[in-house]
Amino acid sequence: MKLNKVLENIKIYEAGKPIELVVREFGIASEDVVKLASNENPIGTSPVVKEAIIANADKAHLYPDDSMFELKEALASKYAVGEQNIIIGAGSDQVLEFISRAVLDDNSSVLMSAVTFAMYEIYAKQMGAKIYKTASFEHKYDEFIEAYQMYKPKIIYLCTPNNPTGDATSREEVLKIINAVDEETLIVVDGAYMEYARAKDSKYAIGPNDLLQFSNVIYLGTFSKAYGLGGMRVGYGIAQPTLIGALYKMRPPFNISTLSLAAAIAACRDKTFVEESIVLHQEQLQRYEAFAKENGFAYIESYTNFITYLFTDDMDSTNIADALLKRGVIIRNLASYGLNAIRITVGTAKQNDMFFRHFLEVLDR
Amino acid sequence: MKLNKVLENIKIYEAGKPIELVVREFGIASEDVVKLASNENPIGTSPVVKEAIIANADKAHLYPDDSMFELKEALASKYAVGEQNIIIGAGSDQVLEFISRAVLDDNSSVLMSAVTFAMYEIYAKQMGAKIYKTASFEHKYDEFIEAYQMYKPKIIYLCTPNNPTGDATSREEVLKIINAVDEETLIVVDGAYMEYARAKDSKYAIGPNDLLQFSNVIYLGTFSKAYGLGGMRVGYGIAQPTLIGALYKMRPPFNISTLSLAAAIAACRDKTFVEESIVLHQEQLQRYEAFAKENGFAYIESYTNFITYLFTDDMDSTNIADALLKRGVIIRNLASYGLNAIRITVGTAKQNDMFFRHFLEVLDR
């Protein structure tokens, strides 16, 4: 049986190790394991969401409302856009997949920064597209436009704030890139962590209202981070109706489960939870910055719910990540992204205490 | 912006109307609306599943275990296969999508029966493949093999029991088709409704253990029907490891939400619920058969949780479906499948009473 050639070229995304696996593998009690690897919201599930899930727990046999009327209405009101501007995906991930499948083929290419969200590359490779990356992980106008002019990619990904690095690109810079690109290239502005950047410094705030004027731009958002629904898989794309209509053709029916839909609708209403998440995060992020300074590491200024520590040659991120894992501390090693660095989700005060304590021991300080 | 040509050719799947829509559109009180259109389990959600959902309701912020260790273990034990034989999809639907994307391109074709599950065609068209159908909705050996020899399709879909018709193909007949096809063609045996057929007549029972010997066959199953998890979107494919490995490359990470995973694991353990569902169904199915005979309609002998009524020219399925809808009875009109027929999910005694009462009124008998 002949399978499509593109398969040969695809690496599978490596998810953060779940706590249960570390318990099984290293025999550590689950209460001594701390997972700061997947940028989950450390506060947990909003009580409002929990209530909505429980209220709908006996509807597991019923297919969801595939028009997603209520969720679209809530998002349309949040962003002051029309419902025809919105498509909902199983995570913004799935919207990336729709985009890739609607636009790419094996004669096309895509452009992204040197270090950015791994799924851009995986979905593009599933379509056989060629991958181009700029030299820097930051989204630099000159690098993007030079590569754009050379390769004429069908998609440009702008991840702001960027994952897994944590830096952000200003609204001005994003718009400058968009304005220098013609309509034949689709630009994806991935704002998965935008709530954190917006709260930290308004010059990094960018959203659908800045972008809907462009027929070739789509804004992506997610409920997985600030809204605390990582496990529910709900994200969205906002763009002009023609593009949304095309992506709809790649959407499988019932792509959001009945309970995920109920959870996302509840989360939309619960502004307090998002605000509290950000306040806690900002307090705790300062501890990570102070810790880095005290111990002589570099870090990337973070506009997300995680922070990236950069190491010099005398320290190896793989050794550090392994040593932490054996102690029950799960963080993300960025060696596979070509960085001698680790990415740590900023957790609760208690989780962060555990990280600092174990990390100092690993470093033997 | 140039979109892929395949998009021009794709029709969007039309989901059954949700109850809320009928309430809004026709001003009928929700307790007077009965939905027998989507083959949902009329018993509802298993109490065991409900409990698992409630127990996990505060884990919505945590990504699921992407290895799906526990669910695979449960399925491996249910079917007496290895975990490396299993891939889990957001509904067996998503496994169909992986298959389509791993195997098809715009030079390939697929073969299916004249009337069968709509998503086979939609996913194949997303890849630009050509669609061939046999003359009959039943899966007839001669028709399949003749078309196979003529077109050499890359995929053959065998839906047994078949949806939306309800008939089944015997194990013997399925194996005869498989044995007449060479390894270059992938055969999908879609057993979404197999639990009902297996309980009714063992000659229609077919499963992974009959099929795993073939490198070019995949068996699909789902939790959406007999297990009562239609809203949770969990299904699976079972095949030899090489094929499963290839499909994995098209799987997005975290394709099953944290609560869907918990629900499916619980459902696997709850054999009583499935047995009770089938007993209730068999009792109520007889009422539909008796009703058809009493009122002079033909029906297709059903091996699923729904029944298809076939009309002669003096009755029009579209008029009947519309008249029922206005009375708050949602069933599936099969006109778009080229049949003058309606498909009715066999509901609870009370739901079926409502259907019979309204249907008689619509027919003015």
Side-chain angles (χ1 to χ4, degrees):
Chain A
M1 197 169 36
K2 231 182 92 211
L3 300 168
N4 282 339
K5 266 192 330 223
V6 295
L7 293 175
E8 295 160 17
N9 208 13
I10 300 169
K11 271 197 290 190
I12 288 174
Y13 178 82
E14 200 193 324
K17 276 190 201 293
I19 289 176
E20 306 77 46
L21 201 83
V22 176
V23 170
R24 279 203 300 274
E25 216 165 289
F26 300 104
I28 303 170
S30 66
E31 63 270 24
D32 293 331
V33 177
V34 57
K35 186 183 171 206
L36 298 171
S38 300
N39 306 338
E40 293 155 335
N41 192 319
I43 300 193
T45 300
S46 138
V48 175
V49 167
K50 186 178 167 181
E51 211 173 279
I53 291 169
I54 292 171
N56 286 280
D58 58 357
K59 294 190 184 133
H61 61 300
L62 298 175
Y63 284 93
D65 170 12
D66 202 38
S67 75
M68 307 193 209
F69 179 79
E70 224 178 319
L71 180 56
K72 280 194 185 167
E73 201 175 47
L75 282 170
S77 137
K78 171 181 158 78
Y79 285 112
V81 299
E83 283 147 41
Q84 74 284 5
N85 294 118
I86 303 172
I87 186 164
I88 317 274
S92 45
D93 240 72
Q94 196 183 30
V95 184
L96 285 167
E97 191 200 285
F98 300 156
I99 292 168
S100 205
R101 293 174 58 208
V103 172
L104 300 178
D105 60 30
D106 52 11
N107 287 313
S108 59
S109 67
V110 301
L111 175 63
M112 62 191 76
S113 89
V115 180
T116 191
F117 186 43
M119 295 310 299
Y120 304 152
E121 183 167 344
I122 293 176
Y123 290 130
K125 281 189 174 165
Q126 286 181 350
M127 297 303 294
K130 209 167 153 48
I131 316 293
Y132 293 109
K133 296 184 182 182
T134 61
S136 312
F137 67 75
E138 302 94 340
H139 290 66
K140 293 187 175 165
Y141 174 85
D142 289 345
E143 293 181 6
F144 268 88
I145 297 311
E146 195 188 338
Y148 160 69
Q149 283 165 346
M150 195 172 322
Y151 305 119
K152 293 284 168 186
K154 291 204 74 172
I155 304 178
I156 295 176
Y157 298 95
L158 305 178
C159 188
T160 182
N162 196 13
N163 174 20
T165 52
D167 65 301
T169 311
S170 71
R171 178 175 53 246
E172 198 188 328
E173 198 79 355
V174 170
L175 291 171
K176 203 171 138 195
I177 295 174
I178 292 171
N179 279 309
V181 168
D182 78 22
E183 288 197 346
E184 286 308 299
T185 295
L186 175 62
I187 299 177
V188 176
V189 177
D190 184 349
Y193 296 89
M194 185 53 74
E195 288 84 0
Y196 299 96
R198 184 181 293 277
K200 187 167 182 173
D201 185 341
S202 65
K203 89 173 186 194
Y204 296 101
I206 188 161
N209 275 312
D210 304 303
L211 303 172
L212 263 185
Q213 59 184 301
F214 303 102
S215 68
N216 63 326
V217 177
I218 185 165
Y219 177 83
L220 303 188
T222 185
F223 287 96
S224 296
K225 307 301 169 187
Y227 286 86
L229 293 187
M232 303 306 282
R233 319 301 300 124
V234 191
Y236 47 89
I238 301 180
Q240 289 191 8
T242 312
L243 179 56
I244 294 296
L247 300 182
Y248 247 91
K249 293 195 170 180
M250 291 300 181
R251 186 190 72 98
F254 310 120
N255 61 323
I256 308 299
S257 80
T258 298
L259 291 181
S260 293
L261 205 50
I265 293 164
C268 258
R269 284 195 219 104
D270 189 10
K271 294 207 179 72
T272 319
F273 178 81
V274 176
E275 285 160 13
E276 284 173 2
S277 295
I278 291 173
V279 169
L280 168 92
H281 166 73
Q282 288 176 333
E283 280 168 23
Q284 295 296 317
L285 178 62
Q286 289 176 10
R287 297 181 62 200
Y288 277 87
E289 295 171 344
F291 183 89
K293 284 173 195 158
E294 278 162 30
N295 288 281
F297 314 126
Y299 63 87
I300 301 173
E301 170 95 24
S302 168
Y303 294 86
T304 60
N305 69 347
F306 58 83
I307 189 164
T308 295
Y309 280 179
L310 297 165
F311 301 131
T312 43
D313 285 351
D314 56 327
M315 287 170 65
D316 179 71
S317 68
T318 303
N319 292 342
I320 291 171
D322 288 349
L324 285 168
L325 190 63
K326 279 184 198 138
R327 295 166 164 271
V329 180
I330 320 173
I331 51 87
R332 180 64 77 121
N333 176 17
L334 298 186
S336 66
Y337 290 85
L339 295 180
N340 185 18
I342 59 173
R343 186 191 74 181
I344 312 125
T345 306
V346 175
T348 59
K350 193 181 155 203
Q351 289 175 319
N352 300 330
D353 288 345
M354 280 173 77
F355 170 79
F356 294 135
R357 179 164 54 80
H358 284 292
F359 194 32
L360 283 176
E361 283 172 16
V362 163
L363 297 171
D364 198 20
R365 290 185 192 179
Chain B
M1 197 168 38
K2 231 182 92 212
L3 299 168
N4 282 338
K5 265 193 329 227
V6 295
L7 293 175
E8 294 160 19
N9 210 12
I10 299 169
K11 269 198 289 187
I12 288 173
Y13 178 82
E14 200 193 325
K17 276 191 200 293
I19 289 175
E20 305 78 45
L21 202 83
V22 177
V23 169
R24 276 202 303 273
E25 216 166 290
F26 300 104
I28 302 170
S30 66
E31 63 272 24
D32 293 332
V33 177
V34 56
K35 186 182 170 205
L36 298 171
S38 299
N39 305 337
E40 293 156 335
N41 192 318
I43 299 192
T45 301
S46 139
V48 176
V49 167
K50 186 178 167 181
E51 211 174 281
I53 291 169
I54 292 171
N56 286 280
D58 58 357
K59 294 189 184 133
H61 61 302
L62 297 176
Y63 284 94
D65 170 11
D66 201 38
S67 76
M68 306 192 210
F69 180 80
E70 226 179 315
L71 180 57
K72 280 194 185 168
E73 200 175 47
L75 282 169
S77 140
K78 171 182 160 78
Y79 285 112
V81 299
E83 282 147 42
Q84 74 284 4
N85 294 118
I86 303 173
I87 186 164
I88 316 273
S92 46
D93 239 72
Q94 196 183 30
V95 184
L96 286 167
E97 190 199 285
F98 299 157
I99 292 168
S100 207
R101 294 174 58 206
V103 171
L104 301 177
D105 60 31
D106 52 12
N107 287 313
S108 60
S109 67
V110 301
L111 175 64
M112 63 192 77
S113 90
V115 179
T116 192
F117 186 43
M119 294 311 299
Y120 304 153
E121 182 167 344
I122 293 175
Y123 290 131
K125 282 190 173 165
Q126 287 180 351
M127 298 304 293
K130 209 167 152 51
I131 315 294
Y132 293 109
K133 295 184 181 182
T134 62
S136 311
F137 67 75
E138 301 94 341
H139 290 66
K140 293 188 174 164
Y141 174 85
D142 290 345
E143 293 181 7
F144 268 88
I145 298 310
E146 194 188 338
Y148 159 70
Q149 283 163 347
M150 194 171 323
Y151 306 119
K152 293 284 171 188
K154 292 206 73 172
I155 304 178
I156 295 176
Y157 298 94
L158 304 178
C159 188
T160 182
N162 196 13
N163 174 21
T165 52
D167 65 301
T169 311
S170 70
R171 179 176 51 246
E172 199 188 328
E173 197 78 357
V174 170
L175 291 171
K176 203 171 138 197
I177 295 174
I178 292 171
N179 279 309
V181 169
D182 79 22
E183 288 197 347
E184 287 308 300
T185 295
L186 175 62
I187 299 178
V188 176
V189 178
D190 183 350
Y193 296 88
M194 185 53 74
E195 288 83 0
Y196 299 97
R198 183 181 295 277
K200 186 167 183 172
D201 186 341
S202 66
K203 88 173 187 193
Y204 296 103
I206 187 160
N209 275 313
D210 304 302
L211 303 173
L212 263 185
Q213 60 183 302
F214 304 102
S215 68
N216 62 328
V217 177
I218 184 164
Y219 178 83
L220 303 188
T222 185
F223 287 95
S224 297
K225 308 301 168 189
Y227 286 86
L229 293 187
M232 302 307 283
R233 318 303 297 125
V234 192
Y236 47 88
I238 301 181
Q240 289 190 8
T242 313
L243 180 57
I244 295 296
L247 300 182
Y248 247 92
K249 293 196 170 181
M250 291 301 181
R251 186 190 72 98
F254 311 119
N255 61 324
I256 309 298
S257 80
T258 299
L259 291 181
S260 293
L261 204 51
I265 292 163
C268 257
R269 286 196 217 102
D270 189 9
K271 295 208 176 72
T272 320
F273 178 81
V274 176
E275 285 160 13
E276 284 173 3
S277 295
I278 290 172
V279 169
L280 169 92
H281 166 73
Q282 287 176 334
E283 280 168 23
Q284 295 296 318
L285 178 63
Q286 289 175 9
R287 297 181 64 199
Y288 277 88
E289 294 171 345
F291 184 88
K293 284 173 195 156
E294 276 162 32
N295 288 280
F297 315 125
Y299 63 87
I300 301 172
E301 170 93 26
S302 167
Y303 294 85
T304 58
N305 70 346
F306 58 83
I307 189 164
T308 295
Y309 280 178
L310 298 166
F311 301 131
T312 43
D313 285 351
D314 56 327
M315 286 169 67
D316 178 71
S317 67
T318 303
N319 290 343
I320 292 171
D322 287 350
L324 285 169
L325 189 62
K326 278 183 199 138
R327 294 166 165 271
V329 180
I330 320 174
I331 50 88
R332 180 65 75 122
N333 176 18
L334 299 185
S336 65
Y337 290 84
L339 294 180
N340 185 17
I342 59 173
R343 186 191 75 180
I344 313 126
T345 306
V346 175
T348 59
K350 194 181 155 202
Q351 290 175 319
N352 301 330
D353 289 345
M354 278 172 80
F355 170 79
F356 294 136
R357 179 163 56 80
H358 284 293
F359 194 32
L360 282 175
E361 283 173 15
V362 163
L363 297 171
D364 199 19
R365 288 186 194 178

